[in-house]
Amino acid sequence: MDRRPTSYDDLPLTLSVRELMPILSVGRSTAYELIHSGQIRNVRIGRRICIPKAEVLRFLKNN
């Protein structure tokens, strides 16, 4: 994404770790830590980590 989304509707259906970082205002290491610890559920497609936008909303509501 070239710009930071301003609403939930602006998010794509799945996000990459790089797209997740500015939304949560965290760095790369923290984003991967949240994923690997299971705090943010994800789907792997090959080596790519995809985070469903519904999961981002769930995480933000719970934290």
Side-chain angles (χ1 to χ4, degrees):
M1 279 186 332
D2 296 327
R3 60 182 179 80
R4 189 174 184 165
T6 56
S7 76
Y8 179 73
D9 294 331
D10 290 343
L11 293 175
L13 290 176
T14 62
L15 289 89
S16 66
V17 174
R18 184 179 296 241
E19 293 169 327
L20 178 68
M21 291 167 29
I23 293 168
L24 300 182
S25 298
V26 298
R28 185 172 153 232
S29 296
T30 301
Y32 279 107
E33 184 178 318
L34 291 169
I35 290 165
H36 292 302
S37 69
Q39 294 180 60
I40 295 181
R41 295 180 214 132
N42 63 87
V43 177
R44 286 194 178 254
I45 300 173
R47 296 183 68 191
R48 185 170 179 221
I49 296 173
C50 299
I51 302 108
K53 85 175 185 178
E55 179 59 19
V56 175
L57 183 61
R58 184 205 61 81
F59 178 80
L60 291 171
K61 282 183 177 181
N62 293 335
N63 293 295

